[in-house]
């Protein structure tokens, strides 16, 4: 189920749930320690409420159509939490059609970003693709005032074509250079199409660099 992040009731519910956690110690799936996560379901954000349509940006492309919808929610949540729950922070995952940082947003200091690299780790060998990702990262850094954590799925886009696409050597050409400027950390993650577990990208890159096998 996808929440309507533009609807006022969604923000109210978030704050009610956070208050229940803080006051009563009730466990919440979206709260870990002092971190409140904002990570929609593994789908593109899409809502037809009047509030969402007003923020929808059809010209922003497949990675940015809903960026303003999510950014507005995170901004309002961050400001409310600053006043009501000053000891808590937000970790926001830009992903799918809300990956791109929208123009004109400056978040309060309690907002941090873990940015998902959408093109796929093998494609970062291409200077244009890598530069676009770096530019987006710079925008999120400017908007939050914090380094950005970089999340990559090593199974992208190798899970889609029917011929070999990714290799340890190719990924190693990107990962050992991490952290890039303004990176807080980098992680490599494999999904249901790959058996490997989540590992730190720099560590994975080190192993791949010395691997004699081209998988």
């Amino acid at each position: 189920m996808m929440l309507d992040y533009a609807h006022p009731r969604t923000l109210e519910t978030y704050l009610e749930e956070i208050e229940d956690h803080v006051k009563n110690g009730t466990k919440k799936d979206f709260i870990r320690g002092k971190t409140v996560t904002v990570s929609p379901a593994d789908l593109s954000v899409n809502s037809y409420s009047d509030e969402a349509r007003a923020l929808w940006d059809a010209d922003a492309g497949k990675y940015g159509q809903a960026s303003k919808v999510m950014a507005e929610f995170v901004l309002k949540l961050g400001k409310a939490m600053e006043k009501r729950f000053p000891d808590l922070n937000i970790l926001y995952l830009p992903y799918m059609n809300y990956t791109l940082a929208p123009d004109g947003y400056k978040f309060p200091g309690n907002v941090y970003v873990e940015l998902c690299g959408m093109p796929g780790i093998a494609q970062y060998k291409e200077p244009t693709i890598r530069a676009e990702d770096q530019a987006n990262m710079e925008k999120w850094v400017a908007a939050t005032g914090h380094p950005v954590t970089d999340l990559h799925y090593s199974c992208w886009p190798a899970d889609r074509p029917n011929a070999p696409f990714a290799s340890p050597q190719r990924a190693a050409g990107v990962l050992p250079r991490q952290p890039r400027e303004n990176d807080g950390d980098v992680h490599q993650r494999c999904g249901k199409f790959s058996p490997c577990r989540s590992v730190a990208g720099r560590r994975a890159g080190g192993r791949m660099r010395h691997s004699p096998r081209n998988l």
Side-chain angles (χ1 to χ4, degrees):
M1 181 182 71
M2 177 62 70
L3 296 174
D4 184 346
Y5 285 89
H7 197 282
R9 184 58 187 144
T10 304
L11 178 61
E12 293 171 5
T13 302
Y14 246 83
L15 293 171
E16 289 170 1
E17 294 292 299
I18 295 170
E19 184 174 23
D20 183 34
H21 172 78
V22 172
K23 288 188 175 181
N24 304 317
T26 308
K27 291 185 178 181
K28 306 294 179 181
D29 289 341
F30 67 98
I31 301 176
R32 292 291 185 271
K34 293 186 176 296
T35 300
V36 173
T37 61
V38 178
S39 179
D42 200 4
L43 298 166
S44 295
V45 167
N46 201 2
S47 172
Y48 293 92
S49 67
D50 292 341
E51 294 87 353
R53 291 296 104 183
L55 294 167
W56 193 260
D57 188 356
D59 296 327
K62 65 179 180 179
Y63 295 142
Q65 292 175 334
S67 288
K68 291 181 180 179
V69 174
M70 292 305 304
E72 194 71 20
F73 174 81
V74 173
L75 178 66
K76 291 177 179 178
L77 180 64
K79 288 181 176 180
M81 285 175 55
E82 267 192 328
K83 297 177 181 179
R84 297 176 56 178
F85 314 108
D87 294 334
L88 300 181
N89 293 314
I90 295 172
L91 182 60
Y92 170 48
L93 178 68
Y95 177 55
M96 301 292 275
N97 65 340
Y98 49 97
T99 302
L100 299 181
D103 295 330
Y105 282 85
K106 182 64 177 177
F107 298 94
N110 59 356
V111 175
Y112 294 80
V113 161
E114 180 172 352
L115 180 63
C116 186
M118 294 301 297
I121 191 68
Q123 299 200 62
Y124 284 92
K125 68 181 181 63
E126 301 295 339
T128 300
I129 293 176
R130 186 176 177 84
E132 289 174 351
D133 184 73
Q134 181 70 41
N136 188 39
M137 184 185 298
E138 297 289 346
K139 288 189 69 174
W140 281 116
V141 169
T144 63
H146 301 299
V148 167
T149 301
D150 216 5
L151 173 66
H152 294 284
Y153 284 86
S154 62
C155 54
W156 290 356
D159 58 304
R160 302 182 182 95
N162 294 317
F165 191 93
S167 68
Q169 288 81 5
R170 180 160 294 182
V174 175
L175 293 175
R177 294 198 295 270
Q178 301 286 0
R180 293 180 285 171
E181 185 179 356
N182 287 319
D183 258 359
D185 198 358
V186 57
H187 296 281
Q188 175 188 338
R189 180 174 294 172
C190 300
K192 64 181 179 180
F193 300 100
S194 176
C196 67
R197 293 184 295 175
S198 189
V199 293
R202 286 189 293 275
R203 183 177 300 174
R207 285 200 296 268
M208 291 175 179
R209 188 171 57 252
H210 300 295
S211 173
R213 300 177 63 191
N214 187 7
L215 303 178

